[in-house]
Amino acid sequence: MRRAGANACRTRGEGARAPQPSCAARGGSRRAVRVPRRGRGQPGPVGRRRLQGRTGLCADAARRPAERARRAAVPAGPARDPAGRHRGRTSGPRGDGAARPRAGAERARAAPGRAAGGPRPRARRARPGRPRGSGARRAGGARPLRASPAAASAHRIVATGHAHIDSAWLWPSRETVRKVTRTFANVVDLMDRDPDAVFTSSSAQHFAWLKRQEPELYSRVKQRVAEGRIVPVGNMWVESDVNMPSGESLARQLLQGTRFFEREFGSRSDVGWLPDSFGYPGALPQLLRKAGLRWFFTQKMCWNDSNPMPHHTFLWEGIDGTRILTHFPPNNTYSGDMRPTELARSVRNFADHAGASHSLMPFGYGDGGGGPTREMMWDARLQSDLEGSPRVRFGTADALFGTIEREYASPPVWSGEMYLEFHRGIYTSQARTKRGNRRNEQLLVEAELWSASATLRTGAPYPYDELDELWQEVLLLQFHDILPGTAIAWVHREAEASHERVTERLEGLIETALRALAGEGTRSLAVNAAPFAASGVPAFGGAADEAAAAAVAATALPDGGVELASPGLRVVITANGLIAHVVDLASGRDLVPPGLAANLPQLHVDAPAKWDAWDLDRSYRANAVDLADGTVTLRADGSVRIERAFGSSRLTQTVTVVDSAVHIRTVVDWHERRRMLKLAFPLDVHAQDAAYETQFGYVRRPLHANTSWDAARYEVCAHRWVHVGEPGFGVAVANDGVYGHDVTRDSIDGRVVTTVRQSLLRAPTFPDPDADQGRHAFTTVLAPAPTTDEALRAGARLGAPLRRITGAAAPVPVVTVTGADGAPTSAVVSAVKLADDRSGDLVVRVYESRGARTRATLRADLAVAEVRECDLVETPLADGTTAVVDDGGDGTGIVLRPFEVLTLRVRGNHT
């Protein structure tokens, strides 16, 4: 989250030196906090105090003192007439967070001649714009308006109470625990007073905090959940970022959240709920549907700075073809306050009047918590059926989606990712937090693999509780203001320390499991947690550590450069540390274009016009410095050391050749401010597009800028690899913890050059003034890769390198996947674990990686009684699908669609 209060869409057009098109132009909320500017787009001391006063520590408790004083002086709630509408009203909040004064009371306080201590004249309650006079006259004045109902064709709004609470942002997560407690206390109290109040709440982590912190309040919340008035949604552990987490991480967000809701409340939600995450990958529709969710809600796409999304209600189609009904609220906020202008904006903005007539309006104070108020409830009732206004009723998100399904027979379809044309710097800010996430995602999956193998092979206890605890810690750190790097320094210090503790504990679990598997002995062994064989070691198994690395010949050149030659590659490094040639000996192709050089660090001025940690303005490309000056040293082990100095920083690289790939280890001692460091690889490839790894597959994005949609994607997210290619040839650029990339192409005398750049570091100054300062280390792999298959292997091996252990015998893989009838397959195993329900069943998740149909055979090295298909949260499907077939062999045949994810439960005879 970026701002306090309600809709940030309005804020994007305020306080900036150069206002840009935004959803504010289409009717943004008036309730956003306006932060004063100072220096290069940063809040000054007054602005920071104002921001902290509204969204910082205990902000919701300290907010609006005038409103609290006013509430204490008036009755507990407005009276209700027999029809259920309130007569009269206490003052409601203004858009700036202050309270509306009661006009009558102000006159009474200012009335001259009242004796000190004497009786105060009775205050008349009046709202601005209403005729003043007696209560009877006011009621009479309102009756003609309320007597004219809305038109039969009027737009219909379902209003649901909500409080978007950032699990950490301008405050640490320990403060969020208190915000959650206060918010639920407010909501339960409102429900005690108002039988119409309903409240939508996501994030199992928030409920878990409440259960631990305030068990009595939690029991009252559970009662309201049972009544259907507090409605858990989303089925995720937190409202995470969904661009950068791995496929397994998103599966576990849904697994942990769904299991918690089922265990605590006896049911799971049908509504996916991510109103504030910074864009949505094309893999998400399938994951939501396979986790049992039918619908999806968000509002973030209204923040696009170039292209407005064309619909508010539509079918979203993922990279595998799965579709999910999706809805955006047309008032462009998740924190409405039910004012008439918001209702009018909903009608004005709604893009699907031709086929639909309903939209959702979440209302209530958010970010720092608070939720809906009785004034908002009163406003909703007052406007529920007025001429010239939409009809309003209280309800839930699932009720809205059910109505949409019945009335909207053929919604339009949006295919592929929903790229947010804003906040492009989040893929790079706070690099330590991101590398910790990548490292622990892999270690968690590896710990599950070896622990499950040890349990099945030796009977060693499976660490259910510890793995759950560690997964939940990592999932919390994937919250959409932590993993993107947009929280205060306090939050990121805690995140980095937490990742270190998680790493240490996971290494302990892995060591314990491998010791049980290998037994006592002194043999040198290598084990492989990657889904592909490496150096003679099978996937998910081990072998004697006897494979020697291919010899690499290192030769110093007369001009001060170095040549490295292996059986697969010939690499030439110039005297200043750039890579002039990478010749693939199998094809004879040089990966580097003539006259250009790869491994080129580039430094950009990175001074966004608005929010430092979030934004990367297009103008950053206009200011670039090539850091070409460096020194080269050929070391005794055959590696090449490169050193560079720039500004207040130093960069050191170690270049080696491993088999048919160039490995570049980059260490940066970073002390810049408002700069961005990229590592460029110009490639002699005529590519039309680039493939970027995403969850359980990849997404292709064009390299041209033919349309404004293409041009807006000047910085994008990739996981472990990027691939560019032409028929018969291609190149992979893999990484061990980088997410931000840009890929462009140029034509030099008709020769197309495709340049892949990794975004290594940024140096924003808000909200953390010392973001990313200090030492960082990255590993990049540059390798010939005819197809995305080779790119996937390069990324997987880099993320899960071989482990060297000693023992009596190498572990045998507990699961293998091979092509049917010996044919190659693009089926890839992503997880091997024991089922969360502690039944002892083995859970295996497989996905199709190439974007093509494939057949494969799954074999489990145990006595198998049954193999059943289940959903993403490990619930067996009653009928299954056509993915599991009987291939007549000794394993289980599977048939996968392009990018399909399949989860199987394998029950052994012993369970």
Side-chain angles (χ1 to χ4, degrees):
M1 183 56 214
R2 238 186 15 156
R3 297 178 179 64
N7 181 24
C9 296
R10 167 98 176 173
T11 310
R12 290 165 39 207
E14 298 176 357
R17 290 170 293 175
Q20 299 179 9
S22 69
C23 55
R26 302 188 296 279
S29 169
R30 296 172 51 201
R31 294 186 58 249
V33 173
R34 180 177 179 177
V35 181
R37 313 288 303 172
R38 183 180 177 88
R40 283 184 170 272
Q42 301 312 306
V46 174
R48 274 194 287 271
R49 284 197 296 272
R50 183 176 302 173
L51 184 64
Q52 292 163 359
R54 291 176 182 171
T55 64
L57 304 182
C58 302
D60 44 351
R63 188 173 55 214
R64 295 178 294 281
E67 184 177 351
R68 293 205 311 276
R70 187 262 306 156
R71 287 180 178 176
V74 299
R80 298 164 66 106
D81 63 22
R85 295 192 174 96
H86 290 264
R87 300 193 305 269
R89 181 200 173 196
T90 59
S91 59
R94 289 202 313 265
D96 58 5
R100 290 194 184 98
R102 294 183 298 139
E106 291 296 325
R107 287 198 304 274
R109 283 194 290 272
R114 184 171 66 88
R120 183 184 297 275
R122 183 172 181 177
R124 297 173 178 173
R125 291 186 288 185
R127 298 181 67 198
R130 283 185 176 179
R132 297 179 179 181
S134 67
R137 287 171 58 191
R138 288 199 309 276
R143 268 195 287 273
L145 177 64
R146 294 169 62 183
S148 301
S153 60
H155 187 70
R156 288 162 168 77
I157 291 175
V158 175
T160 189
H162 183 235
H164 173 75
I165 303 178
D166 289 312
S167 297
W169 179 33
L170 300 181
W171 52 83
S173 57
R174 74 181 192 184
E175 179 61 27
T176 307
V177 177
R178 293 188 278 270
K179 293 178 182 290
V180 168
T181 300
R182 290 191 291 267
T183 298
F184 274 112
N186 291 345
V187 167
V188 170
D189 178 72
L190 178 65
M191 290 181 174
D192 290 343
R193 299 166 181 265
D194 191 329
D196 294 333
V198 293
F199 184 69
T200 296
S201 183
S202 69
S203 302
Q205 174 70 88
H206 293 183
F207 288 95
W209 278 335
L210 184 66
K211 180 180 180 181
R212 182 192 69 196
Q213 193 80 0
E214 294 289 342
E216 181 182 359
L217 176 59
Y218 182 71
S219 66
R220 296 174 65 193
V221 168
K222 287 189 70 173
Q223 178 184 349
R224 296 303 187 185
V225 172
E227 295 170 357
R229 300 183 64 193
I230 292 180
V231 185
V233 294
N235 294 354
M236 296 181 76
W237 190 247
V238 296
E239 289 184 14
S240 73
D241 177 80
V242 287
N243 285 305
M244 291 174 280
S246 68
E248 277 304 317
S249 286
L250 291 187
R252 306 315 171 87
Q253 286 281 358
L254 292 159
L255 172 65
Q256 293 286 345
T258 302
R259 291 292 190 198
F260 183 90
F261 286 164
E262 288 180 334
R263 181 172 64 250
E264 294 293 321
F265 307 130
S267 63
R268 62 175 75 171
S269 175
D270 288 330
V271 182
W273 189 273
L274 289 171
D276 200 33
S277 299
F278 305 143
Y280 306 92
L284 193 57
Q286 178 182 197
L287 301 183
L288 295 175
R289 292 301 301 269
K290 283 186 175 288
L293 293 157
R294 298 172 56 191
W295 309 304
F296 180 59
F297 172 86
T298 182
Q299 64 87 42
K300 200 67 175 185
M301 298 306 296
C302 79
W303 292 33
N304 278 3
D305 61 14
S306 300
N307 302 283
M309 293 293 286
H311 301 286
H312 287 94
T313 301
F314 57 95
L315 293 173
W316 179 23
E317 181 179 286
I319 58 175
D320 71 307
T322 298
R323 293 181 176 181
I324 188 168
L325 182 61
T326 300
H327 178 71
F328 303 158
N331 66 328
N332 295 341
T333 182
Y334 49 67
S335 298
D337 62 8
M338 304 308 302
R339 66 180 65 227
T341 53
E342 284 196 339
L343 302 186
R345 184 168 60 250
S346 292
V347 178
R348 182 173 65 250
N349 287 356
F350 191 60
D352 300 286
H353 285 297
S357 60
H358 288 76
S359 64
L360 191 69
M361 181 180 286
F363 67 95
Y365 290 112
D367 295 350
T373 65
R374 58 185 180 179
E375 289 83 5
M376 296 175 190
M377 298 290 294
W378 193 94
D379 272 347
R381 288 192 184 91
L382 179 65
Q383 302 170 88
S384 62
D385 191 10
L386 296 181
E387 183 179 5
S389 182
R391 296 178 185 268
V392 180
R393 65 179 175 89
F394 299 117
T396 61
D398 56 349
L400 168 83
F401 277 106
T403 301
I404 291 173
E405 282 190 332
R406 290 189 294 272
E407 77 164 358
Y408 208 178
S410 300
V413 177
W414 178 271
S415 181
E417 67 177 336
M418 290 195 286
Y419 173 85
L420 181 66
E421 297 172 353
F422 208 53
H423 292 356
R424 300 170 181 89
I426 63 166
Y427 308 128
T428 309
S429 297
Q430 298 288 358
R432 293 185 192 89
T433 298
K434 290 173 169 59
R435 289 198 305 277
N437 174 76
R438 178 77 67 83
R439 179 181 68 246
N440 285 330
E441 284 179 330
Q442 174 57 40
L443 289 177
L444 279 161
V445 173
E446 184 175 357
E448 289 176 334
L449 165 69
W450 300 130
S451 296
S453 300
T455 299
L456 296 173
R457 300 284 191 212
T458 71
Y462 188 80
Y464 289 103
D465 293 331
E466 189 167 7
L467 284 170
D468 271 350
E469 180 185 344
L470 295 174
W471 265 115
Q472 289 169 11
E473 185 68 20
V474 171
L475 297 179
L476 170 61
L477 298 178
Q478 292 175 347
F479 177 73
H480 66 253
D481 276 312
I482 301 179
L483 182 55
T486 54
I488 58 175
W490 186 344
V491 171
H492 288 288
R493 284 195 302 269
E494 290 186 342
E496 292 164 20
S498 179
H499 275 305
E500 291 292 340
R501 291 193 301 271
V502 170
T503 297
E504 183 178 358
R505 292 175 64 184
L506 287 170
E507 292 287 0
L509 290 178
I510 291 169
E511 181 182 354
T512 299
L514 288 175
R515 190 182 303 116
L517 285 167
E520 297 294 333
T522 59
R523 293 183 61 194
S524 295
L525 306 171
V527 294
N528 179 15
F532 307 103
S535 301
V537 183
F540 306 141
D545 189 14
E546 298 172 349
V552 176
T555 305
L557 300 177
D559 61 359
V562 176
E563 180 180 275
L564 303 176
S566 74
L569 289 182
R570 184 175 67 87
V571 179
V572 176
I573 301 173
T574 64
N576 60 350
L578 303 180
I579 297 178
H581 301 284
V582 179
V583 179
D584 174 24
L585 299 180
S587 66
R589 291 278 299 266
D590 191 344
L591 278 58
V592 183
L596 298 178
N599 190 38
L600 173 64
Q602 295 179 312
L603 189 67
H604 292 268
V605 174
D606 179 16
K610 297 179 183 177
W611 294 77
D612 268 17
W614 291 260
D615 292 350
L616 179 66
D617 290 355
R618 191 191 309 266
S619 59
Y620 89 94
R621 289 184 175 178
N623 299 279
V625 176
D626 292 346
L627 305 178
D629 295 335
T631 61
V632 171
T633 304
L634 176 59
R635 304 171 71 180
D637 61 0
S639 64
V640 177
R641 179 181 176 87
I642 304 166
E643 294 181 278
R644 307 180 193 278
F646 57 94
S648 301
S649 306
R650 294 187 64 84
L651 182 149
T652 303
Q653 292 181 307
T654 302
V655 180
T656 57
V657 175
V658 180
D659 297 327
S660 294
V662 181
H663 286 236
I664 304 168
R665 180 69 171 173
T666 302
V667 177
V668 186
D669 188 15
W670 180 248
H671 298 286
E672 306 304 307
R673 288 288 192 275
R674 311 201 81 187
R675 296 294 184 269
M676 186 176 199
L677 180 64
K678 283 181 171 276
L679 191 60
F681 295 89
L683 303 170
D684 193 8
V685 176
H686 189 131
Q688 300 294 328
D689 54 28
Y692 307 77
E693 188 186 29
T694 187
Q695 298 89 355
F696 299 122
Y698 62 82
V699 57
R700 289 194 178 275
R701 301 180 179 111
L703 302 186
H704 57 69
N706 286 356
T707 71
S708 57
W709 297 88
D710 301 324
R713 291 183 172 93
Y714 57 82
E715 182 78 3
V716 296
C717 181
H719 286 194
R720 296 173 295 184
W721 54 267
V722 173
H723 179 267
V724 293
E726 58 190 44
F729 185 77
V731 180
V733 180
N735 71 85
D736 68 343
V738 171
Y739 294 95
H741 293 78
D742 73 280
V743 184
T744 57
R745 71 175 192 168
D746 296 295
S747 180
I748 304 174
D749 295 329
R751 188 186 192 108
V752 171
V753 175
T754 302
T755 302
V756 178
R757 299 201 303 169
Q758 296 176 329
S759 301
L760 301 186
L761 289 167
R762 300 185 70 220
T765 58
F766 179 79
D768 177 3
D770 294 317
D772 282 323
Q773 300 298 300
R775 185 182 184 277
H776 300 265
F778 310 88
T779 300
T780 302
V781 172
L782 176 67
T787 69
T788 57
D789 292 352
E790 291 77 21
L792 173 58
R793 284 172 169 78
R797 289 167 180 161
L798 179 59
L802 296 179
R803 286 180 179 270
R804 265 72 188 191
I805 62 172
T806 58
V812 176
V814 70
V815 167
T816 60
V817 172
T818 57
D821 301 323
T825 181
S826 52
V828 178
V829 176
S830 70
V832 178
K833 62 188 289 289
L834 295 192
D836 264 27
D837 61 8
R838 309 195 179 194
S839 62
D841 289 356
L842 183 68
V843 171
V844 182
R845 187 150 28 246
V846 186
Y847 73 99
E848 197 287 316
S849 64
R850 190 183 299 154
R853 297 181 185 273
T854 192
R855 297 177 62 93
T857 300
L858 172 74
R859 293 180 177 85
D861 190 27
L862 62 137
V864 176
E866 183 183 32
V867 178
R868 295 190 65 184
E869 184 180 356
C870 54
D871 63 14
L872 206 63
V873 295
E874 301 177 7
T875 304
L877 301 180
D879 300 322
T881 67
T882 59
V884 179
V885 298
D886 182 7
D887 64 359
D890 59 349
T892 301
I894 55 177
V895 179
L896 298 177
R897 303 186 317 271
F899 299 130
E900 182 178 6
V901 179
L902 175 66
T903 307
L904 301 173
R905 287 183 72 123
V906 181
R907 183 166 60 85
N909 287 326
H910 63 285
T911 59

